[in-house]
Amino acid sequence: MLEQVIVQQLRRIVGIQNFRDDRESLVVHSYDGTPMLQSLPDGVIYPESTQQVSDIMKVLAAHRIPVVSRGSGSNLCGGTVPIQGGVVMVMHRMNTILEVDQENLTATVQPGIITAEFISHIESIGLFYPPDPSSMRISTIGGNIAECSGGLRGLKYGTTKDYVIGLEAVLANGDIMRTGGKLMKDVAGYDLTKLLVGSEGTLAIITEATLKLIPPPKSKKTMLAMYKDLYGAARTVSRIIESKIIPATLEFMDNPTIRVVDDFAKLGLPRDMEAILLIEQDGDSEAVERDMERIQEICKLEMADLVEIAESREEAEKLLTARRSAFTALARLRPTTILEDATVPRSKIAEMVLRINEIARKYNVMIATFGHAGDGNLHPTAATDARNLDEVHRVEQAFEEIFEAAIELGGTITGEHGVGMVKAPYLEWKIGKPGIAMMRGIKHAFDPHNLLNPGKIFAKETRKRVVITRG
Amino acid sequence: MANANQPTFPSKPNVKLSNPTAQKLHLKLDYDQLTNCMRCGFCLPACPTFRETGLEQESPRGRIALMKAVVDGIMEPDQPFQDQMSHCLGCRACEPACPADVKYGQLIEQARDAIEEHAEHSIPVNGLRKVLLKEMFPHQGRMKWLGRSLAFYQKSGLRKVAKGTGMMRLFPKHLREMEQILPSATGKGVVERMGTVYPAKGEAIARVALFRGCIMDVLFADTNVNTVKLLSEAGFEVVIPDEQVCCGALHAHSGELDSAKALARTNLSVFKEAGVDYIVSNAGGCGALLVEYDHLLHEDNEYHSLAKWFAPRVMDISKLLIDHGRLPAFADSSASTEDPITITYQDSCHLRNVMKSASAPRQLMRQVANVQFVEMKEADRCCGSAGIYNVTQPKMAGEILEHKMEHANRTDARYLLSSNPGCLLQMKLGVAKHGDSSRMEVMHIVDFLYERLLETK
């Protein structure tokens, strides 16, 4: 509970309606898209301008009250669960596209705009913003920046960090800082823009972003290749890249995923296949044709059992159905779905998938793996039931081993979901003690009183998974 | 997969709840469904009340979290909680958007059912609920009486008197507005006008029963008549069992599940007796409950098997015509190929999200010669009618309708078609308030099609 004096100060800034501390509001801001996490805040605030955010921060800083800034709360790392209470700051009201600059090919937006709405506006004026996280229909650009979201197009086009070139952010003490600009070159000091991208709301509150846009590709082609041999699929991925082709999409599904998808979508997929690759190339139509032919040759060379190229957009949609159904099919299997994002160098994909399957067997849990093969970003997904504590414990042990395996293979504990609460205990495995010390130093420089999204990224103890059982 | 089939853990939390409404919610809410929600948020953009307010508690994810919090003992089902459960339109647009297939519609009905047992409504709302749900809709005879009375009121000059004396001012504004757009009511329903059996034109493809609907048969009796004639033209023999009663949808959505079940049992017996291949509905709201009778009665040993026979045989008229009918030719004689008239369509949420018939009506509209079908932006979004929502939650319904009409007006359509009486009334209200009644006419798709039948009339 916040003191009434503080509540009044906050209400004076945003208006009575835009600060809420009724039980209902607290409950519905106690969770995000991450399974099994819940913690109630003390209040929820909805600012409508940078100035309001700044004024709010001054009040909260003076009283040392934690703040969790968030968009739609769809992240998968517990990034916006208010684990230490305080105020949840919802950015939905700051949702304007301030400018699209066609001369400089940039867009300037407020953080609360929904990613898909932004993309559809950008595409309607003939431009292209590539980062496309699967949650884009509800995620916000601000949330994407905080988590440095990836998506299916990451391999060829990069992720959110490659498109954020300027930011306005409110610091812990309420100061307003501007970084970068409509500039493709800018080396004026440390790159604070890039530092804030992926900082998970722990360094500052983003209030405006300038994004880079590019011209859209002129044409696109889609292909599906199926393999009885997992290594054949993995070698295909490596060889495509070796041949100096960077496909727009290079997606992967393993055998458990294929079976679940086939049960769900009744696509008649061959259930004895060990892997399916979904490959798309875009660009000038001649180049696309040439690349797709070459990719097809590689698939055959690597003993693909079946290669299908879509001749029309409808056929392409059909080929895309299997991969698109993966998450839905897995989500319907059991009540609780835990979607992780262990990532390895792309040359290690086959090995990683086999390790995951082995680990799932060892702990007697259901884990299916799909993901972005081109950038080595896999989504081992566990289907379980939060109420079955014994099984949930085994799932956690399995994921712990999966993180270990990823790091052993030169990979990372998270490719695109972020550290948040869920991966905090494992961060040191990836970056070591000096890495943690350096990151803590940065955090301290930005937020000396630890008010911005406290309890995230840095764990009290390494290697012990944090699970709050109340949810 | 360990323990996948034999759970060895408690399926509901073992908490002591002192609040009687909380206990009821604990008892009635399906905890498996509450657990199935993984809080991904994919339902948020599909939800009209979330879009209107931007508030998490006004979203399906938020409402499910609130229900779960009550069952988990984290919060009391206080008045704001209960209000939130009534804010939901029940359009169920969140269900197709849900990766985990959470049965949100069932959850909200269970919540309302639990709340209803201890509910204290304001006097006008309570009076209205009681009169409509308990005394009117279940009784076709009284509905006919209502139709006759309403017709008398509308035609006798009493309406003018009411307006002239300012008597109407005693009613809230939104009810006055609704009164003005009500179509001419009748006490003579489809059976009185056509009998209980109507032959197929040509060789019969199938024998179908018309579900006439209680509101349809009073306010849209012509549409029911046209439905029967259109079915006959397309090769169906039509029976209209006179003993059929209200489907129970408005009861189920308002937390009166026991009344809904009683109505369902009557209908099941009546339609089984009729010996038909399909049960045809021309109202998405009714059809959606009819196709879920098997779920509604899943704990009813006596009627469940009958409900399982019944549910898959329920079909919306558009889908029946497209899938099984001998489609006659349609054309608009007032227009030409070069200069077609423009039409647009507002989905009935329950037809689209529950009966899953979004494409059949569009296929039909595209078949009419000299007519150009223009898709309205966000046609798949609720218009705010939502059963009796526009009566009980006028503010939210009004805001949703205003946005709806912005999109409708942009189509510049001569006719705005829909497939459900509630939607038709709401859209008529929308055109009257935010559009131009002289340029846009709201019509049931069946009436539009029947009037454009070629030759055979």
Side-chain angles (χ1 to χ4, degrees):
Chain A
M1 279 286 281
L2 296 183
E3 286 169 46
Q4 272 314 302
V5 192
I6 303 172
V7 170
Q8 279 167 12
Q9 287 177 349
L10 293 174
R11 288 210 157 123
R12 225 169 284 139
I13 299 167
V14 292
I16 293 174
Q17 279 302 305
N18 293 311
F19 173 85
R20 292 167 184 250
D21 57 358
D22 56 289
R23 195 71 184 164
E24 213 194 357
S25 299
L26 304 185
V27 165
V28 299
H29 291 90
S30 63
Y31 53 80
D32 56 24
T34 322
M36 300 181 293
L37 295 179
Q38 185 161 26
S39 174
L40 265 59
D42 297 300
V44 185
I45 199 161
Y46 307 83
E48 67 168 359
S49 67
T50 303
Q51 192 54 50
Q52 284 190 357
V53 175
S54 164
D55 294 344
I56 293 165
M57 275 323 295
K58 281 177 187 154
V59 173
L60 297 179
H63 296 92
R64 302 281 192 268
I65 295 165
V67 59
V68 179
S69 57
R70 60 165 256 185
S72 300
S74 55
N75 76 85
L76 296 167
C77 65
T80 54
V81 175
I83 185 66
Q84 298 187 9
V87 172
V88 169
M89 188 186 285
V90 181
M91 306 306 281
H92 275 157
R93 293 175 73 213
M94 295 176 65
N95 61 357
T96 313
I97 299 174
L98 300 168
E99 182 200 47
V100 177
D101 181 340
Q102 305 224 31
E103 282 176 40
N104 289 304
L105 286 189
T106 63
T108 302
V109 301
Q110 289 187 310
I113 182 149
I114 302 291
T115 312
E117 284 173 19
F118 172 68
I119 288 180
S120 110
H121 178 75
I122 292 305
E123 288 178 354
S124 76
I125 49 179
L127 289 167
F128 187 34
Y129 175 76
D132 61 341
S134 301
S135 56
M136 60 191 253
R137 274 180 57 79
I138 185 57
S139 72
T140 61
I141 290 288
N144 293 167
I145 293 172
E147 301 293 340
C148 187
S149 304
L152 302 191
R153 301 194 273 235
L155 168 64
K156 182 170 183 174
Y157 291 103
T159 61
T160 304
K161 68 176 185 301
D162 300 303
Y163 293 87
V164 180
I165 54 175
L167 288 173
E168 177 193 77
V170 172
L171 302 176
N173 64 3
D175 285 353
I176 300 168
M177 174 177 80
R178 296 195 75 97
T179 73
K182 295 179 186 173
L183 301 163
M184 298 305 140
K185 293 180 176 176
D186 176 15
V187 292
Y190 297 136
D191 192 342
L192 294 176
T193 311
K194 293 282 189 284
L195 181 57
L196 289 183
V197 178
S199 64
E200 306 188 15
T202 62
L203 299 183
I205 295 172
I206 290 156
T207 48
E208 190 186 296
T210 300
L211 306 170
K212 183 172 85 172
L213 306 174
I214 58 175
K218 292 200 178 75
S219 76
K220 188 175 190 175
K221 270 205 129 168
T222 305
M223 169 197 296
L224 203 64
M226 303 192 191
Y227 297 82
K228 282 213 178 90
D229 175 15
L230 184 63
Y231 283 97
R235 277 195 307 268
T236 303
V237 172
S238 302
R239 261 189 200 246
I240 292 171
I241 312 284
E242 254 177 285
S243 315
K244 302 184 180 59
I245 298 172
I246 306 287
T249 313
L250 186 33
E251 292 288 302
F252 163 87
M253 286 163 55
D254 75 347
N255 176 275
T257 312
I258 295 170
R259 286 165 177 264
V260 172
V261 166
D262 194 50
D263 286 339
F264 166 68
K266 310 268 181 289
L267 297 170
L269 298 173
R271 301 169 70 95
D272 55 342
M273 292 294 166
E274 284 302 319
I276 289 182
L277 291 179
L278 174 79
I279 308 165
E280 288 189 299
Q281 181 59 305
D282 61 12
D284 288 336
S285 53
E286 272 173 44
V288 170
E289 289 292 336
R290 201 173 53 232
D291 284 356
M292 287 308 257
E293 260 171 50
R294 178 76 191 112
I295 293 172
Q296 192 179 9
E297 281 167 25
I298 294 172
C299 292
K300 286 185 178 152
L301 203 70
E302 293 299 347
M303 311 300 284
D305 286 80
L306 200 79
V307 181
E308 278 181 72
I309 297 188
E311 291 307 327
S312 64
R313 211 49 237 162
E314 290 78 53
E315 276 184 48
E317 287 300 316
K318 258 191 173 155
L319 296 186
L320 287 162
T321 313
R323 169 63 183 87
R324 281 191 184 150
S325 310
F327 179 57
T328 302
L330 285 165
R332 290 178 185 207
L333 216 49
R334 301 279 304 280
T336 307
T337 309
I338 304 179
L339 181 70
E340 285 295 352
D341 64 331
T343 300
V344 292
R346 67 172 81 90
S347 59
K348 302 283 188 194
I349 281 181
E351 219 169 309
M352 187 64 200
V353 171
L354 290 175
R355 291 280 284 274
I356 293 170
N357 292 345
E358 216 171 90
I359 293 167
R361 267 195 302 277
K362 175 175 163 190
Y363 289 99
N364 189 22
V365 291
M366 164 71 191
I367 297 181
T369 305
F370 60 95
H372 321 301
D375 44 32
N377 180 197
L378 295 173
H379 290 306
T381 303
T384 180
D385 188 327
R387 295 166 293 184
N388 186 344
L389 300 181
D390 168 61
E391 190 183 308
V392 167
H393 180 63
R394 282 183 281 117
V395 168
E396 282 167 1
Q397 287 176 311
F399 274 125
E400 191 161 308
E401 269 198 51
I402 289 170
F403 298 149
E404 231 163 43
I407 289 175
E408 230 178 85
L409 294 171
T412 180
I413 54 173
T414 172
E416 59 181 358
H417 294 171
V419 176
M421 290 165 66
V422 171
K423 251 70 73 77
Y426 307 99
L427 181 61
E428 196 179 308
W429 296 3
K430 170 69 176 79
I431 61 169
K433 277 197 186 334
I436 294 275
M438 187 52 65
M439 285 193 190
R440 276 193 190 277
I442 293 170
K443 167 74 177 168
H444 189 77
F446 271 88
D447 182 20
H449 302 298
N450 196 24
L451 301 178
L452 296 165
N453 207 3
K456 311 298 162 63
I457 300 186
F458 307 105
K460 285 205 184 85
E461 278 177 74
T462 289
R463 195 190 249 268
K464 209 175 122 198
R465 193 140 186 225
V466 187
V467 174
I468 297 141
T469 46
R470 241 195 325 170
Chain B
M1 261 182 285
N3 300 333
N5 299 317
Q6 11 8 26
T8 54
F9 47 91
S11 60
K12 273 191 191 189
N14 217 341
V15 288
K16 281 227 175 344
L17 302 168
S18 53
N19 180 308
T21 307
Q23 288 168 357
K24 272 277 174 294
L25 285 158
H26 188 279
L27 182 74
K28 296 210 165 173
L29 282 168
D30 182 343
Y31 202 80
D32 286 336
Q33 292 298 331
L34 293 177
T35 313
N36 279 345
C37 171
M38 52 185 177
R39 297 169 172 175
C40 64
F42 286 16
C43 54
L44 269 62
C47 175
T49 53
F50 176 75
R51 302 245 316 181
E52 237 12 88
T53 61
L55 296 174
E56 175 81 18
Q57 51 266 51
E58 300 272 2
S59 76
R61 178 175 71 170
R63 292 189 184 105
I64 289 174
L66 291 171
M67 294 177 206
K68 189 163 184 293
V70 169
V71 179
D72 288 345
I74 295 177
M75 70 176 277
E76 299 272 299
D78 53 7
Q79 196 56 48
F81 170 88
Q82 299 187 15
D83 290 347
Q84 191 45 257
M85 295 304 125
S86 356
H87 278 189
C88 169
L89 293 148
C91 71
R92 296 171 68 176
C94 48
E95 289 188 20
C98 177
D101 195 26
V102 175
K103 308 287 185 208
Y104 174 83
Q106 295 171 14
L107 285 172
I108 195 79
E109 289 188 355
Q110 290 159 2
R112 287 173 178 177
D113 186 31
I115 291 169
E116 199 47 45
E117 298 197 8
H118 299 275
E120 289 169 27
H121 296 293
S122 65
I123 291 167
V125 170
N126 202 25
L128 189 72
R129 283 176 63 99
K130 206 171 153 203
V131 169
L132 290 180
L133 295 179
K134 294 237 158 72
E135 307 300 331
M136 296 307 302
F137 294 146
H139 309 284
Q140 198 61 27
R142 293 184 200 169
M143 288 303 288
K144 281 179 187 150
W145 169 84
L146 176 71
R148 282 195 302 272
S149 315
L150 202 53
F152 177 73
Y153 164 78
Q154 288 171 334
K155 287 178 194 147
S156 65
L158 205 60
R159 186 183 211 166
K160 281 193 188 125
V161 173
K163 280 180 190 161
T165 57
M167 192 180 92
M168 284 309 291
R169 257 175 273 148
L170 294 172
F171 292 91
K173 179 162 172 279
H174 64 280
L175 288 183
R176 291 203 305 270
E177 288 168 351
M178 196 45 108
E179 187 269 347
Q180 297 196 358
I181 55 92
L182 273 192
S184 301
T186 173
K188 260 183 98 178
V190 61
V191 171
E192 286 75 20
R193 287 159 66 178
M194 309 184 82
T196 53
V197 183
Y198 198 86
K201 191 159 185 192
E203 196 193 334
I205 301 167
R207 184 174 149 97
V208 303
L210 174 72
F211 186 83
R212 69 183 161 200
C214 44
I215 297 178
M216 282 302 294
D217 217 36
V218 167
L219 290 179
F220 298 95
D222 289 345
T223 307
N224 273 350
V225 169
N226 289 343
T227 302
V228 173
K229 290 185 183 162
L230 196 56
L231 285 167
S232 161
E233 287 286 338
F236 299 101
E237 182 192 9
V238 189
V239 295
I240 317 161
D242 199 24
E243 301 77 27
Q244 60 177 295
V245 293
C246 167
C247 62
L250 296 179
H251 304 77
H253 306 331
S254 312
E256 306 271 357
L257 278 177
D258 287 338
S259 313
K261 286 175 190 169
L263 293 165
R265 283 189 282 264
T266 306
N267 278 329
L268 286 175
S269 306
V270 168
F271 283 97
K272 180 69 186 175
E273 187 83 353
V276 291
D277 304 302
Y278 299 102
I279 297 93
V280 192
S281 156
N282 57 12
C286 306
L289 188 73
L290 298 178
V291 297
E292 290 191 333
Y293 270 5
D294 55 339
H295 169 73
L296 183 68
L297 295 172
H298 72 282
E299 285 171 333
D300 186 323
N301 293 334
E302 203 187 331
Y303 280 87
H304 189 222
S305 58
L306 191 52
K308 271 165 63 181
W309 168 85
F310 177 86
R313 286 172 175 76
V314 175
M315 227 185 241
D316 183 72
I317 168 124
S318 293
K319 187 151 171 59
L320 184 73
L321 291 176
I322 287 285
D323 286 2
H324 304 286
R326 278 195 301 268
L327 270 193
F330 302 104
D332 189 289
S333 55
S334 73
S336 64
T337 326
E338 295 76 38
D339 188 20
I341 58 159
T342 308
I343 61 172
T344 191
Y345 181 72
Q346 164 64 30
D347 279 293
S348 145
C349 294
H350 284 187
L351 183 58
R352 184 185 181 97
N353 301 323
V354 185
M355 299 186 83
K356 310 271 192 275
S357 289
S359 82
R362 288 173 169 80
Q363 286 178 53
L364 280 173
M365 289 181 284
R366 289 205 167 93
Q367 293 200 2
V368 185
N370 306 339
V371 163
Q372 190 191 6
F373 171 67
V374 182
E375 190 74 70
M376 160 167 75
K377 192 179 170 199
E378 296 182 356
D380 60 347
R381 259 175 223 290
C382 183
C383 62
S385 163
I388 54 172
Y389 188 93
N390 48 2
V391 180
T392 58
Q393 304 280 343
K395 187 170 171 284
M396 180 75 79
E399 285 165 15
I400 290 173
L401 180 61
E402 196 172 342
H403 287 148
K404 173 64 64 189
M405 286 311 299
E406 285 168 20
H407 298 315
N409 289 335
R410 223 164 285 149
T411 65
D412 204 22
R414 176 72 190 82
Y415 295 95
L416 192 164
L417 306 184
S418 191
S419 303
N420 184 55
C423 315
L424 288 169
L425 291 177
Q426 180 79 343
M427 295 315 299
K428 275 175 191 278
L429 180 65
V431 173
K433 279 182 80 172
H434 310 288
D436 182 348
S437 307
S438 68
R439 294 185 52 191
M440 186 182 283
E441 196 174 328
V442 179
M443 216 183 223
H444 195 291
I445 183 170
V446 164
D447 297 328
F448 181 82
L449 289 173
Y450 184 73
E451 286 175 12
R452 281 153 191 82
L453 257 180
L454 274 186
E455 297 152 23
T456 49
K457 257 192 278 186

